Amino acid sequence: MELRQIALGMVQQIQRKCTPCRGTGYDCEMKKERKVLEVNIEKGMRHNQRVTFRGLADERPGVETGDIVFVVQEKEHATFKRKGADLLLTKTVSLNEALTGFRWIVKHLDGRQLLITSRPGEVIKPEGPNGVPYVKVVDNEGMPSHGNPFVKGKLYVLFRVEFPDDGDLDEGAVSKLRAILPNPGMDVEYDEEEVEEVHLEAADVKAFGKGGAAGGGGGAYDDSDDEGGQQQGVQCQQS
């Protein structure tokens, strides 16, 4: 508050902001301070998990000091996919490996080398029951659990079986496979004059339902679903 004399016996009272405190009601010296924070990423931490440093944000008089929050962002990996504490990798094997066995080395996230080997007589199938992907698992080779790193998840292996292309097997190889593998194709007896033999061609399942001529028949043979799905009755002309 400032008093200013404007005439003899007349004083004007003026309210203005204090220059030193800029109207805040307090006077303080602001300074910048550099501080190095060490963020410890613990074993098993997950995507978007937060690390909070309480009371280390900017300070202002009369205001509670805020926090500094670091958010963990998980990078994509070329080999592994993560869900919770479990890991998943996809492995493509040849039909030969799927039937006779395989061995391959995978480099784990911690740098260890794992030799994954099939058991004698184990067969890798193209897909599991009901068409689901065919998956095997290695226990205790997933991610460590956050807060209890000695308990680890599982390493899931999703298999894809690569079959030979048309023409890769000659007649000799086909004959040997037919003799070795179980359930060979049986000879079918039929009358060539009564039975028509056809062959399979490559196809796309997305085209299912799009066969036949485009546009349909038309005229009196239109589908009954047209015109709102109401069926049109046939009326007889009466004389």
Side-chain angles (χ1 to χ4, degrees):
M1 193 70 67
E2 180 181 352
L3 297 177
R4 178 183 300 177
Q5 185 175 359
I6 58 177
L8 184 62
M10 298 182 63
V11 179
Q12 184 182 22
Q13 186 176 353
I14 302 174
Q15 184 175 0
R16 57 168 36 174
K17 288 184 178 181
C18 175
T19 302
C21 71
R22 299 178 183 177
T24 59
Y26 48 81
D27 186 15
C28 61
E29 180 182 356
M30 306 291 291
K31 66 177 182 178
K32 293 184 178 180
E33 180 181 354
R34 183 187 181 99
K35 187 172 184 179
V36 178
L37 299 178
E38 182 177 348
V39 182
N40 182 28
I41 305 299
E42 299 175 353
K43 292 183 177 181
M45 294 188 73
R46 303 187 181 187
H47 183 66
N48 286 334
Q49 194 165 349
R50 298 186 175 191
V51 180
T52 303
F53 293 85
R54 304 205 175 272
L56 292 183
D58 292 340
E59 297 180 354
R60 292 181 58 187
V63 179
E64 184 179 354
T65 306
D67 303 330
I68 296 179
V69 180
F70 291 88
V71 181
V72 177
Q73 296 292 300
E74 195 172 85
K75 293 176 61 177
E76 294 286 339
H77 195 272
T79 304
F80 300 98
K81 293 185 181 298
R82 179 188 181 186
K83 188 173 183 180
D86 295 330
L87 293 174
L88 172 72
L89 66 85
T90 301
K91 175 63 176 176
T92 299
V93 295
S94 66
L95 180 59
N96 192 328
E97 292 175 308
L99 296 176
T100 63
F102 58 83
R103 304 179 77 191
W104 98 88
I105 294 177
V106 59
K107 185 177 181 180
H108 214 315
L109 295 173
D110 56 3
R112 292 181 299 124
Q113 303 281 336
L114 296 181
L115 176 62
I116 300 180
T117 308
S118 60
R119 292 186 174 90
E122 182 178 12
V123 175
I124 302 301
K125 300 177 176 60
E127 61 183 20
N130 301 321
V132 300
Y134 190 79
V135 177
K136 292 278 190 176
V137 68
V138 181
D139 288 329
N140 300 319
E141 287 299 342
M143 294 288 293
S145 301
H146 186 221
N148 191 0
F150 297 102
V151 178
K152 295 184 178 181
K154 299 179 179 181
L155 173 60
Y156 287 79
V157 181
L158 189 152
F159 285 97
R160 301 188 188 279
V161 180
E162 192 175 54
F163 282 76
D165 293 328
D166 294 345
D168 285 351
L169 302 177
D170 57 25
E171 190 62 33
V174 172
S175 298
K176 291 180 180 179
L177 289 175
R178 186 179 289 115
I180 295 172
L181 296 177
N183 302 322
M186 303 298 292
D187 291 333
V188 178
E189 297 182 358
Y190 62 93
D191 187 350
E192 295 183 358
E193 296 183 357
E194 297 292 337
V195 178
E196 182 179 357
E197 184 178 1
V198 297
H199 297 282
L200 298 171
E201 303 292 342
D204 186 354
V205 71
K206 295 180 181 179
F208 178 68
K210 300 179 180 179
Y221 297 96
D222 285 345
D223 292 341
S224 60
D225 291 339
D226 294 342
E227 299 182 3
Q230 297 180 357
Q231 296 182 354
Q232 300 295 326
V234 179
Q235 295 182 354
C236 298
Q237 181 177 4
Q238 297 180 358
S239 56

